[in-house]
DNA sequence: GACCAGGCACATC
DNA sequence: GATGTGCATGGT
């Protein structure tokens, strides 16, 4: 199906911001929040780090959970500032394992958000397990349903070569599958049945 | 008006 | 360790 060009974002920093904003939120809403930040010239690590929380919260409002997401962004920005002096290029000399551990230590950054940042912002060979991933595996009876995050990612690590580019495309295709075809809970919902006919 | 969307932390048992 | 809950908007 050709390259999917993921993650949708113009810069590494934009990917990082989007990873937090999209927590339990549709990407459509996140796009509005990102557009607001860009309009205010705040899609920049140093400027956003120095911006007051109240204004950030107002701008990211469309993405929902705006107060808690503002706090999470602040926590993450604070880590990036103390660790890299807000220069993301400095992350290149840190091992993926260490980077992941540090990201997970930031309050508000869980496994999926950390892995999204690692893969899509830092190009590390990490497989992202999100609700799309789980849905596809579940529909193909590859999950019982009570597996933990690391247990699910293990399926991919044990089946695929460790390759960031491959993991990127693979996950993007899983998402495309979910969006273009019916991967809801039921085997085939009425709407998709009609579409098929 | 109900339900859902690319989570996470925290309280409680 | 497992389960429940708050966080909030916008689209269908």
């Amino acid at each position: 199906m050709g390259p999917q060009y993921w993650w949708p974002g113009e810069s590494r920093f934009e990917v990082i911001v989007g990873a937090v904003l999209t927590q339990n939120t549709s990407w459509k809403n996140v796009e509005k929040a990102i557009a607001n930040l860009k309009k205010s010239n705040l899609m920049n690590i140093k400027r956003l780090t120095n911006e007051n929380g109240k204004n950030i919260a107002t701008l990211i409002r469309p993405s929902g959970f705006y107060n808690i997401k503002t706090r999470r962004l602040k926590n993450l920005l604070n880590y990036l500032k103390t660790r890299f002096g807000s220069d993301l290029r400095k992350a290149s000399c840190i091992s993926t394992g260490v980077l992941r551990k540090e990201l997970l230590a930031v309050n508000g950054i869980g496994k999926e958000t950390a892995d999204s940042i690692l893969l899509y912002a830092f190009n590390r060979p990490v497989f992202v397990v999100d609700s799309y991933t789980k849905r596809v595996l579940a529909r193909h009876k590859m999950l019982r349903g009570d597996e933990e995050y690391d247990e699910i990612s293990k399926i991919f690590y044990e089946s695929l070569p460790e390759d960031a580019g491959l993991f990127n495309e693979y996950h993007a295709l899983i998402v495309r599958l979910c969006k273009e075809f019916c991967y809801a809970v039921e085997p085939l919902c009425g709407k998709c049945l009609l579409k098929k006919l």
Side-chain angles (χ1 to χ4, degrees):
Chain A
M1 297 177 86
Q4 305 295 305
Y5 303 110
W6 261 48
W7 177 297
E10 289 175 18
S11 67
R12 273 206 300 196
F13 184 59
E14 189 177 323
V15 172
I16 291 172
V17 171
V20 173
L21 294 183
T22 199
Q23 289 172 353
N24 203 36
T25 302
S26 71
W27 184 253
K28 269 266 178 277
N29 286 359
V30 176
E31 282 178 332
K32 297 176 202 295
I34 287 177
N36 287 342
L37 289 172
K38 282 183 173 173
K39 232 183 296 171
S40 298
N41 206 22
L42 285 173
M43 195 53 85
N44 169 281
I45 187 163
K46 285 182 182 162
R47 285 198 291 275
L48 195 62
T49 302
N50 294 325
E51 187 61 35
N52 77 70
K54 201 119 181 129
N55 192 32
I56 295 176
T58 305
L59 293 168
I60 68 169
R61 191 183 150 88
S63 73
F65 304 121
Y66 51 86
N67 287 315
I68 201 154
K69 281 177 181 173
T70 297
R71 206 157 63 224
R72 290 175 180 178
L73 277 174
K74 280 280 178 193
N75 293 341
L76 185 55
L77 288 164
N78 182 50
Y79 159 70
L80 295 172
K81 185 181 179 183
T82 54
R83 187 69 163 97
F84 307 119
S86 299
D87 182 356
L88 296 177
R89 287 172 301 185
K90 289 188 180 157
S92 62
C93 57
I94 316 274
S95 79
T96 301
V98 170
L99 206 49
R100 186 173 199 260
K101 224 178 202 168
E102 291 180 359
L103 285 169
L104 289 174
V106 176
N107 187 297
I109 307 300
K111 287 176 178 173
E112 186 195 325
T113 308
D115 286 349
S116 296
I117 291 171
L118 287 168
L119 178 61
Y120 299 114
F122 294 112
N123 203 33
R124 305 301 178 98
V126 165
F127 204 94
V128 177
V129 175
D130 58 4
S131 55
Y132 291 131
T133 311
K134 291 180 203 162
R135 209 182 304 168
V136 170
L137 292 185
R139 274 288 302 277
H140 291 282
K141 313 282 183 206
M142 294 170 73
L143 294 180
R144 297 183 307 276
D146 60 344
E147 289 87 348
E148 307 240 326
Y149 186 100
D150 296 310
E151 210 175 331
I152 298 173
S153 56
K154 199 171 151 207
I155 296 171
F156 294 91
Y157 294 133
E158 289 181 346
S159 321
L160 302 171
E162 187 180 83
D163 180 336
L166 173 68
F167 290 170
N168 183 323
E169 288 299 324
Y170 205 114
H171 184 262
L173 287 166
I174 285 176
V175 177
R176 185 162 170 189
L177 195 60
C178 284
K179 289 191 172 170
E180 290 187 18
F181 301 94
C182 185
Y183 266 79
V185 182
E186 291 300 318
L188 202 60
C189 73
K191 211 158 73 180
C192 293
L193 195 59
L194 283 174
K195 217 163 146 188
K196 215 174 169 183
L197 292 171

